[in-house]
Amino acid sequence: MELRKILTVFLASALLWSCTQDDENLSLMEENVQPEQEIKIVPKEEIDAIIKNALEERNEFNWSELNDVQLWSALVHSDSVLTVGYLADGESNINQRMTSINVQDPDWVNSRKDILEETRAVMERKREQNITDEDLPNYSHEVLPFIEMKVYDLEVINRLRTLENVRYVEPLSYEVEFQKYGEGERYSDSGCSNDPNYNIAGLYTDIAPGAKMSWNYPQMGIDQAWNYSTGSGITIGMIDTGLSPDQDNLGSQFNSGYSQNRTVERKGTYQTGSWWWKRYDGPEDKCGHGTSMAGVAAAPRSNDGSAVGVAYNANLVGVRGTSDVIVNGGNEKDGVTEALVYLGNRSDVKIISMSIGDVFNNSKVADGIRYAYGRGKLIFAAAGTSTSWTNWFGVIFPANMNETVAVTGIKEGQYKRCNTCHSGSKVDFTVIMEKAGSDAHPLSVAMSGNQPSTVGGSSVATATTAGIAALVWSKNPSWNRDQVLQKLRESSDFYPNRNSEFGYGNLNALTAVQ
C-alpha cells in the first residue's frame, strides 16, 4: 500500500519559521489574552522532566496530560509535525472497530475537511492573511483516521483540542533526551548488534540433519512439540529492523535441511528524510536486531551447523519498520504504523511479532495496532528491555495495550526476570532465556554465516512466543486467534491464575500442541 502522498512543497513561511524555531525566547500572543501577555516556549528540559516524572510515578505518559502551551512547545522543539486523530460526526469510541471504518466515506472526508478549515481559519486570524492550500501542507492517512500537518501557531493547538471530532493531538517526532539525566545508557541502547558468538560451548545440542538447537528449547518443550507441529502453513509477520541480505538462512537457504516448501519475504516501510520529502529506505537490516529475532522465530532446521528457529517450517514476512528497537522518532512511528496496516491487510499473516517499543504511548501507532488486531492478527510485543530501568519501569508500549500479548524473559529454573527484562501486571507470558549462573542467552542466526549468535532480553522471549504460537496454529489450522491464545494460556505454568509480575508464566510448547 502506498502510504505517503505528502505535498512536496517548500513554503516560505515554513522556511522563515525554521530560522527562529530553536530560539528559546520566541513568543507568540495567545488568542483571548491581552497583547502585553507573552506566551513563552516551555524549555525542552522542563517537558522532558514532566514526561520522566509521569513514567516514574505511573509507568505511563500520554500527550493529553500536557496543557496547550506545553504541547505547542514540544512541537517547536521537534519538527512541528502534528498528528491529529479524528472522528466522523456522530461517532464516539472507534477503538474496537478500527477495521470497519472507511475514511473515504463522506462523513469521514467531511470531518477531515472541517478540521483543516478550522486550522486554516485560526491561521488567517493569527497572521491576518489568506492561507492557501500550499500554506497548509497536510497528509491524510488512506486507512487510519488521522491527519498530519505542519503546525507553528499555539492558537491552532488551542482550537484543535476543543473540537468534538478530534480524538487526539500529538507531536509526531518529539524525543525525550534521557541522556541529559545520566540515563542514556539505560534508554539509548538501540539493540543493534548481532555478531557471531564463538563461545557457545554448552549452549546447544546438535540435532539432525546438522543444526544447533538452543539450550532453552527443551526446557519449554519445543523440541518435543516438533513431533506434532513445525509451523507449516502459518505465516509470521515480524516488524523489526529488517532481515540481513547476507544471511542465507533467511534467504536462499530458508528452504534447506528439514525446512521445506515455505516462503520468506522482505518488506521495507521505514522511510528517511524530512516530512515533506521522504523515501523508503529498503527492507535490509542495518541494525542486526531484526535478523536475530527472525532467526529465533523461523530459522531453518538446516544441515550447515546454524541455529534452528522455533517454527522452522513457518513462512516469514520480515518488515523493516524501524531503524532500531526504540520506536521514538517520527520516521519510526510512520514505518511501524504502515507495517501494521500492511500485515493487517494480508490474509495469510496470522501472527505479528514486535520485539520493539517505547516507554510512552503513541496514538498513531496504537491505531495501527487496533487495525491489525481487528483483522484477526495475534500480536506479540516485548514487555521491555533496558539496563537500570529494569528496577522500576513496567511494561512498555505497545505491549501495554489490551490488543497485544506482552512477553518477557526470565532466568533458568526460577521466576526472576532476566537482568535487563521488564515485568509487571501487563505481562501475559514468560520465556526462559537467561541461563542460571552464566546468564548466557539463547542462540539465533548472525548477520551472515552459519556460526550462531546469542541474543537476550524480552525481544527474544517475544520472538520465541511467536514461534510457539505458529506451532499451535499449524496443528489447528481452523482455529482463530482467540482459540490459539487460550491454548497458550492453558499450557502455561500459572493457569488459570495470573502472577502480578509474570502473567500466566512459562509457556510449554509440548502441552500447547497436544
Side-chain angles (χ1 to χ4, degrees):
M1 182 190 69
E2 291 293 333
L3 179 63
R4 283 280 170 187
K5 290 183 179 178
I6 300 174
L7 297 175
T8 58
V9 295
F10 191 83
L11 307 176
S13 58
L15 179 60
L16 179 61
W17 178 266
S18 67
C19 296
T20 58
Q21 182 173 338
D22 295 327
D23 184 356
E24 292 294 336
N25 296 318
L26 178 68
S27 63
L28 292 177
M29 298 301 173
E30 185 180 21
E31 191 177 10
N32 301 325
V33 300
Q34 297 301 314
E36 64 271 12
Q37 292 180 282
E38 292 185 346
I39 308 299
K40 296 185 179 295
I41 295 175
V42 178
K44 189 175 190 307
E45 291 79 6
E46 186 173 326
I47 299 172
D48 285 355
I50 293 170
I51 295 171
K52 179 173 175 287
N53 290 339
L55 294 173
E56 289 177 338
E57 292 175 3
R58 305 189 311 275
N59 286 328
E60 185 175 2
F61 170 77
N62 291 286
W63 287 107
S64 59
E65 299 173 31
L66 297 188
N67 63 38
D68 292 357
V69 176
Q70 292 167 337
L71 184 62
W72 167 72
S73 298
L75 274 179
V76 172
H77 293 305
S78 57
D79 60 3
S80 298
V81 177
L82 190 71
T83 307
V84 182
Y86 63 93
L87 291 165
D89 288 343
E91 297 282 356
S92 55
N93 189 345
I94 61 171
N95 289 346
Q96 303 307 315
R97 53 185 187 83
M98 193 67 67
T99 54
S100 67
I101 296 168
N102 183 355
V103 297
Q104 306 308 322
D105 284 347
D107 288 346
W108 292 89
V109 172
N110 290 335
S111 181
R112 292 198 299 274
K113 288 181 178 178
D114 289 346
I115 290 171
L116 292 173
E117 287 307 311
E118 288 283 352
T119 301
R120 188 192 309 274
V122 171
M123 292 172 64
E124 289 180 340
R125 289 197 301 271
K126 174 69 175 62
R127 303 182 186 189
E128 297 181 348
Q129 66 183 50
N130 290 332
I131 300 298
T132 67
D133 289 342
E134 290 186 350
D135 296 326
L136 183 57
N138 64 88
Y139 156 73
S140 300
H141 197 275
E142 298 173 345
V143 175
L144 303 176
F146 68 79
I147 307 168
E148 287 182 337
M149 63 182 86
K150 285 277 189 175
V151 172
Y152 307 110
D153 301 318
L154 170 60
E155 291 84 353
V156 172
I157 303 295
N158 298 152
R159 181 57 179 153
L160 289 177
R161 296 182 99 185
T162 67
L163 299 179
E164 291 185 357
N165 60 340
V166 169
R167 294 186 294 134
Y168 58 82
V169 178
E170 297 182 359
L172 173 64
S173 303
Y174 187 88
E175 297 183 34
V176 178
E177 298 183 38
F178 288 103
Q179 65 272 19
K180 287 187 176 181
Y181 311 102
E183 298 162 353
E185 177 192 2
R186 74 186 189 185
Y187 183 77
S188 62
D189 182 8
S190 65
C192 290
S193 62
N194 187 18
D195 297 323
N197 187 342
Y198 293 92
N199 186 28
I200 59 173
L203 299 184
Y204 67 90
T205 302
D206 288 313
I207 60 173
K212 289 182 174 63
M213 179 179 67
S214 183
W215 61 270
N216 61 331
Y217 283 17
Q219 299 190 40
M220 293 177 293
I222 292 171
D223 57 332
Q224 297 178 70
W226 288 337
N227 293 321
Y228 300 86
S229 174
T230 58
S232 178
I234 301 300
T235 301
I236 300 172
M238 182 162 289
I239 303 175
D240 211 290
T241 64
L243 306 180
S244 171
D246 299 319
Q247 180 45 260
D248 291 343
N249 284 297
L250 299 178
S252 61
Q253 297 302 307
F254 194 64
N255 284 299
S256 58
Y258 289 175
S259 300
Q260 299 294 328
N261 302 315
R262 61 182 190 147
T263 60
V264 58
E265 300 175 58
R266 290 171 165 82
K267 173 76 174 178
T269 59
Y270 177 70
Q271 299 179 61
T272 59
S274 60
W275 183 76
W276 57 84
W277 186 258
K278 291 191 176 186
R279 65 176 180 83
Y280 288 104
D281 198 41
E284 296 181 357
D285 190 0
K286 302 176 183 180
C287 166
H289 189 268
T291 299
S292 62
M293 294 305 107
V296 169
R301 185 168 174 175
S302 192
N303 56 6
D304 59 10
S306 60
V308 60
V310 175
Y312 62 77
N313 266 318
N315 304 315
L316 178 68
V317 182
V319 184
R320 184 175 182 243
T322 179
S323 62
D324 57 35
V325 302
I326 306 171
V327 187
N328 56 348
N331 290 344
E332 292 167 325
K333 294 167 188 172
D334 291 342
V336 170
T337 302
E338 183 176 348
L340 285 161
V341 173
Y342 170 73
L343 293 176
N345 285 333
R346 286 192 53 153
S347 60
D348 61 323
V349 173
K350 300 291 188 183
I351 297 161
I352 297 177
S353 181
M354 301 180 68
S355 296
I356 55 177
D358 194 16
V359 292
F360 57 89
N361 298 357
N362 176 264
S363 295
K364 168 179 165 176
V365 175
D367 282 350
I369 291 281
R370 295 185 181 107
Y371 181 85
Y373 182 84
R375 295 277 177 170
K377 311 309 176 187
L378 180 52
I379 308 172
F380 296 101
T385 303
S386 60
T387 54
S388 58
W389 265 13
T390 304
N391 295 324
W392 65 272
F393 195 81
V395 176
I396 67 171
F397 172 83
N400 59 3
M401 292 182 63
N402 293 332
E403 291 81 5
T404 61
V405 180
V407 186
T408 199
I410 66 168
K411 291 180 176 291
E412 179 185 31
Q414 54 188 311
Y415 272 98
K416 183 177 181 181
R417 59 189 175 188
C418 78
N419 292 338
T420 60
C421 295
H422 296 197
S423 61
S425 61
K426 292 285 189 177
V427 168
D428 293 289
F429 299 113
T430 57
V431 166
I432 301 167
M433 49 70 53
E434 199 160 82
K435 204 161 181 58
S438 66
D439 291 342
H441 294 146
L443 270 58
S444 186
V445 297
M447 290 291 279
S448 64
N450 301 326
Q451 179 63 31
S453 63
T454 53
V455 60
S458 64
S459 292
V460 67
T462 303
T464 301
T465 304
I468 293 174
L471 300 182
V472 175
W473 220 325
S474 177
K475 177 71 166 23
N476 305 280
S478 65
W479 282 10
N480 60 29
R481 169 190 61 212
D482 295 335
Q483 290 172 299
V484 173
L485 183 56
Q486 180 59 24
K487 188 65 173 178
L488 293 177
R489 293 187 185 114
E490 292 172 359
S491 76
S492 300
D493 273 1
F494 300 141
Y495 183 83
N497 300 311
R498 282 183 67 107
N499 181 278
S500 61
E501 292 292 312
F502 301 113
Y504 294 107
N506 286 341
L507 290 158
N508 186 297
L510 175 61
T511 303
V513 297
Q514 287 179 324

